Amino acid sequence: MISDAIETTQCQRKDPVDLFHSGHFVKICAPMVRYSKLAFRTLVRKYNCDLCYTPMIIAADFVRSVKARDSEFTTSKGDRPLIVQFAANEAQVLSDAARIVCPFADGIDLNCGCPQRIHDDLKRTVDLCRKAEATGVSWITVHGRNVEERHQPVHYDAIKIIKQNLSIPIVANGDVKTLKDAENIHHMTGTDGVMVARGLLANPAMFAGYEETPLKCIQDWVDIALEHGTPFTCFHHHLMYMMERITSKQEKRVFNVLSSTSAVLDYVNDHYGV
């Protein structure tokens, strides 16, 4: 809840744009519905994630309902730098939502990528990005697929062209599974940052250079999730993602149907000493 962040004052705000001038590409946790909430952001920050986004929040509901605000936005003193992502189609509503979270965040992001991403005619995408740049946005994140594409290869060449045509920082997004992938995409596109979604779900320690989720990261997630009172389904799903690469099919059949926090804790303790 916002009330949880009362101690997070405006004087603690960090300018995330400074990250793009730090001499290295910015490692970013993407806005993921249900998943990139406070507990998970706390976890990835322990493993070299530079910047985190909230899940997408519907601005109109957020402005209208205290209940929506309490359920959709939770932060803490150490949850910085933080970008709050809103979906909105009215400028005033977006402005009102931004004012509410302003004391507790370092930036506001407008979701323009579900489902539109790059256009088949790349000139149209470049033109849109230039218009956004002219309005004064700090940076733009580009997911390198078009509206019909889901699992096809990412068009990194298109992201590179967008970067070459703008002056503000550009962030690349799409199909990043390891730190090496992120480094390669950074060099391939010339972008200033790399945003990761599913890759971080599978391995929250990815940005620290781990090829798969280390047991220490699993232990950290258990501790953080319990401390934050994370609902069981979310707690369990994160572990299912994190343990995907280190469990056998037989182990998955058992672990994935566990139905209580105590059963999950017993399992990870018995099998992994966590």
Side-chain angles (χ1 to χ4, degrees), residues 12-245:
Q12 294 170 301
R13 180 174 298 148
K14 302 175 181 179
D15 186 350
V17 177
D18 291 342
L19 291 171
F20 294 102
H21 304 290
S22 62
H24 64 83
F25 74 93
V26 183
K27 299 181 282 293
I28 304 171
C29 177
M32 293 176 279
V33 175
R34 294 184 299 276
Y35 292 119
S36 52
K37 294 195 172 184
L38 175 59
F40 187 68
R41 298 196 302 265
T42 302
L43 178 66
V44 296
R45 290 185 194 279
K46 289 175 68 72
Y47 291 91
N48 293 359
C49 184
D50 298 316
L51 180 64
C52 290
Y53 280 60
T54 67
M56 185 188 74
I57 299 170
I58 305 300
D61 295 342
F62 192 79
V63 170
R64 185 185 311 118
S65 166
V66 173
K67 183 178 180 180
R69 293 197 287 273
D70 286 346
S71 67
E72 294 297 325
F73 182 67
T74 306
T75 186
S76 66
K77 188 186 295 186
D79 188 28
R80 311 301 283 268
L82 177 66
I83 305 298
V84 179
Q85 186 185 79
F86 286 114
N89 56 14
E90 296 180 42
Q92 187 59 55
V93 173
L94 177 61
S95 176
D96 292 343
R99 287 179 184 275
I100 294 171
V101 300
C102 179
F104 317 108
D106 303 286
I108 302 297
D109 182 71
L110 178 62
N111 185 321
C112 301
C114 294
Q116 296 80 26
R117 297 173 180 96
I118 60 171
H119 196 276
D120 288 334
D121 180 358
L122 191 57
K123 291 181 180 178
R124 292 180 61 180
T125 300
V126 171
D127 182 60
L128 175 63
C129 290
R130 283 175 170 167
K131 289 177 179 176
E133 179 180 39
T135 69
V137 300
S138 299
W139 70 83
I140 295 173
T141 300
V142 182
H143 185 110
R145 292 188 174 99
N146 65 35
V147 66
E148 287 84 19
E149 295 173 329
R150 289 293 181 268
H151 303 292
Q152 291 89 336
V154 175
H155 301 287
Y156 296 116
D157 54 338
I159 299 177
K160 180 178 181 179
I161 291 171
I162 294 168
K163 168 61 185 172
Q164 291 171 338
N165 280 273
L166 274 78
S167 299
I168 58 174
I170 300 296
V171 173
N173 175 231
D175 268 6
V176 186
K177 298 182 176 67
T178 66
L179 179 60
K180 189 65 176 177
D181 288 343
E183 292 170 343
N184 289 341
I185 291 164
H186 163 62
H187 292 301
M188 189 188 318
T189 62
T191 48
D192 307 274
V194 176
M195 176 182 282
V196 184
R198 287 177 296 177
L200 277 176
L201 285 181
N203 179 8
M206 188 195 86
F207 284 140
Y210 291 92
E211 293 294 319
E212 60 186 30
T213 309
L215 291 181
K216 176 64 167 63
C217 184
I218 294 174
Q219 179 67 69
D220 286 337
W221 170 245
V222 169
D223 294 341
I224 291 168
L226 293 179
E227 179 184 346
H228 285 81
T230 302
F232 170 73
T233 299
C234 182
F235 169 63
H236 190 206
H237 281 186
H238 272 295
L239 285 172
M240 288 164 61
Y241 279 116
M242 293 163 62
M243 295 167 62
E244 173 70 25
R245 299 177 190 172

Side-chain angles (χ1 to χ4, degrees), residues 253-264:
R253 281 195 292 268
V254 175
F255 183 78
N256 293 359
V257 298
L258 297 177
S259 57
S260 69
T261 298
S262 59
V264 168

